[in-house]
Protein backbone atom coordinates (compact mmCIF):
# COMPACT_ATOMS: atom_id res chain seq x y z
CA UNK A 1 0.00 0.00 0.00
CA UNK A 2 1.11 3.53 -0.74
CA UNK A 3 0.89 5.19 2.66
CA UNK A 4 2.14 8.72 3.13
CA UNK A 5 4.13 7.86 6.27
CA UNK A 6 7.37 7.44 4.41
CA UNK A 7 7.14 10.80 2.75
CA UNK A 8 10.49 12.46 2.32
CA UNK A 9 11.47 16.02 1.64
CA UNK A 10 13.30 14.88 -1.46
CA UNK A 11 9.93 13.88 -2.87
CA UNK A 12 8.87 17.46 -3.39
CA UNK A 13 9.67 18.64 -6.89
CA UNK A 14 11.16 22.11 -7.50
CA UNK A 15 7.91 23.09 -9.23
CA UNK A 16 5.75 22.26 -6.20
CA UNK A 17 4.47 18.79 -6.96
CA UNK A 18 4.42 16.15 -4.28
CA UNK A 19 5.95 13.12 -6.04
CA UNK A 20 4.12 10.83 -3.60
CA UNK A 21 0.77 11.54 -5.25
CA UNK A 22 2.06 11.52 -8.85
CA UNK A 23 0.98 8.68 -11.11
CA UNK A 24 4.57 8.19 -12.31
CA UNK A 25 5.66 7.53 -8.74
CA UNK A 26 2.67 5.41 -7.68
CA UNK A 27 2.58 3.04 -10.63
CA UNK A 28 4.50 -0.21 -10.57
CA UNK A 29 5.72 -0.35 -14.16
CA UNK A 30 8.36 2.22 -15.12
CA UNK A 31 8.09 3.70 -11.68
CA UNK A 32 9.72 7.10 -11.30
CA UNK A 33 11.88 7.39 -8.17
CA UNK A 34 10.98 11.05 -7.79
CA UNK A 35 12.22 13.96 -9.84
CA UNK A 36 15.06 14.94 -7.54
CA UNK A 37 16.67 11.52 -7.86
CA UNK A 38 19.97 11.51 -9.69
CA UNK A 39 20.06 7.98 -10.99
CA UNK A 40 21.64 6.96 -14.23
CA UNK A 41 19.93 6.86 -16.63
CA UNK A 42 17.94 9.81 -15.38
CA UNK A 43 14.25 9.21 -14.76
CA UNK A 44 12.27 10.24 -17.81
CA UNK A 45 10.58 13.02 -15.90
CA UNK A 46 13.94 14.50 -15.04
CA UNK A 47 15.41 14.01 -18.48
CA UNK A 48 12.50 15.57 -20.34
CA UNK A 49 11.03 18.05 -17.89
CA UNK A 50 11.59 21.63 -18.98
CA UNK A 51 11.37 22.89 -15.44
CA UNK A 52 13.81 20.36 -14.06
CA UNK A 53 16.21 21.29 -16.83
CA UNK A 54 15.68 25.02 -16.41
CA UNK A 55 18.99 26.89 -16.33
CA UNK A 56 18.22 28.54 -13.04
CA UNK A 57 17.62 25.19 -11.33
CA UNK A 58 20.56 23.53 -13.05
CA UNK A 59 22.94 25.74 -11.13
CA UNK A 60 21.64 23.93 -8.07
CA UNK A 61 21.44 27.10 -6.06
CA UNK A 62 17.67 26.97 -6.16
CA UNK A 63 15.77 24.36 -4.20
CA UNK A 64 12.33 25.41 -5.35
CA UNK A 65 11.06 27.58 -8.17
CA UNK A 66 9.97 30.24 -5.68
CA UNK A 67 13.65 30.94 -5.02
CA UNK A 68 13.94 32.13 -8.60
CA UNK A 69 13.72 35.80 -9.43
CA UNK A 70 11.52 34.94 -12.39
CA UNK A 71 8.94 33.10 -10.28
CA UNK A 72 6.27 32.57 -11.39
CA UNK A 73 7.63 32.42 -14.94
CA UNK A 74 5.48 31.82 -18.03
CA UNK A 75 6.29 28.12 -18.02
CA UNK A 76 5.27 27.81 -14.39
CA UNK A 77 2.02 29.70 -14.98
CA UNK A 78 1.23 27.44 -17.91
CA UNK A 79 1.78 24.32 -15.83
CA UNK A 80 -0.19 25.75 -12.92
CA UNK A 81 -3.12 26.42 -15.22
CA UNK A 82 -2.98 22.88 -16.61
CA UNK A 83 -2.92 21.39 -13.13
CA UNK A 84 -5.71 23.59 -11.84
CA UNK A 85 -7.91 22.76 -14.82
CA UNK A 86 -7.18 19.07 -15.17
CA UNK A 87 -6.23 17.97 -11.68
CA UNK A 88 -7.76 20.52 -9.35
CA UNK A 89 -4.41 21.42 -7.81
CA UNK A 90 -2.37 24.60 -8.06
CA UNK A 91 1.39 24.16 -8.21
CA UNK A 92 1.95 27.88 -7.61
CA UNK A 93 -0.24 27.71 -4.52
CA UNK A 94 1.73 24.65 -3.37
CA UNK A 95 4.99 26.56 -3.78
CA UNK A 96 3.64 29.56 -1.92
CA UNK A 97 2.56 27.27 0.92
CA UNK A 98 5.96 25.57 1.07
CA UNK A 99 7.57 28.99 1.32
CA UNK A 100 5.09 30.28 3.88
CA UNK A 101 4.70 27.21 6.10
CA UNK A 102 7.99 25.42 5.62
CA UNK A 103 8.48 21.93 4.24
CA UNK A 104 7.47 19.98 7.38
CA UNK A 105 4.18 21.79 7.79
CA UNK A 106 3.44 21.53 4.09
CA UNK A 107 4.06 17.78 4.16
CA UNK A 108 1.78 17.45 7.19
CA UNK A 109 -1.03 19.12 5.25
CA UNK A 110 -0.30 17.03 2.20
CA UNK A 111 -0.71 13.85 4.23
CA UNK A 112 -4.17 14.95 5.30
CA UNK A 113 -5.11 16.07 1.81
CA UNK A 114 -4.04 12.95 -0.04
CA UNK A 115 -4.68 10.11 2.41
CA UNK A 116 -7.70 7.99 1.51
CA UNK A 117 -10.35 8.07 4.23
CA UNK A 118 -11.41 4.56 3.34
CA UNK A 119 -8.20 2.55 3.28
CA UNK A 120 -5.40 4.89 4.34
CA UNK A 121 -3.74 4.62 0.94
CA UNK A 122 -2.76 7.47 -1.33
CA UNK A 123 -5.05 9.51 -3.52
CA UNK A 124 -3.39 10.08 -6.88
CA UNK A 125 -3.52 13.67 -8.12
CA UNK A 126 -3.57 12.64 -11.76
CA UNK A 127 -6.30 10.04 -11.38
CA UNK A 128 -8.36 11.93 -8.85
CA UNK A 129 -9.05 8.84 -6.75
CA UNK A 130 -7.31 6.48 -4.34
CA UNK A 131 -4.59 4.51 -6.05
CA UNK A 132 -5.03 1.63 -3.60
CA UNK A 133 -8.77 1.06 -3.30
CA UNK A 134 -10.23 3.27 -6.05
CA UNK A 135 -12.35 5.44 -3.73
CA UNK A 136 -13.15 8.84 -5.30
ZN1 LIG B 1 -8.27 3.95 -0.55
Amino acid sequence: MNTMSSMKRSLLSPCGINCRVCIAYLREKNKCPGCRTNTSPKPITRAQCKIKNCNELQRDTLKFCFDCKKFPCARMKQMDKRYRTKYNMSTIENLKNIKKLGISEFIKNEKIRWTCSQCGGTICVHRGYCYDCGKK
Side-chain angles (χ1 to χ4, degrees), residues 24-79:
Y25 182 88
L26 287 166
R27 71 186 168 209
E28 269 160 37
K29 261 191 175 177
N30 294 320
K31 187 180 164 78
C32 172
C35 56
R36 288 190 193 269
T37 313
N38 273 316
T39 49
S40 190
K42 286 177 180 178
I44 194 107
T45 44
R46 166 130 196 173
Q48 289 182 352
C49 175
K50 289 199 174 114
I51 290 176
K52 214 37 242 200
N53 293 299
C54 166
N55 282 335
E56 307 290 331
L57 285 164
Q58 282 295 303
R59 285 188 219 124
D60 271 345
T61 48
L62 305 181
K63 287 197 175 74
F64 290 100
C65 285
F66 60 66
D67 293 319
C68 181
K69 57 183 186 297
K70 289 176 190 159
F71 175 78
C73 65
R75 188 173 284 154
M76 173 109 291
K77 282 182 190 159
Q78 221 173 49
M79 192 184 74

Side-chain angles (χ1 to χ4, degrees), residues 111-127:
K111 277 184 193 168
I112 298 165
R113 182 174 180 183
W114 302 106
T115 297
C116 171
S117 60
Q118 186 163 281
C119 77
T122 300
I123 298 160
C124 173
V125 63
H126 297 113
R127 291 208 167 155

Side-chain angles (χ1 to χ4, degrees), residues 116 118-121 130 132-135:
C116 171
Q118 186 163 281
C119 77
C130 175
D132 296 288
C133 75
K135 184 182 185 289

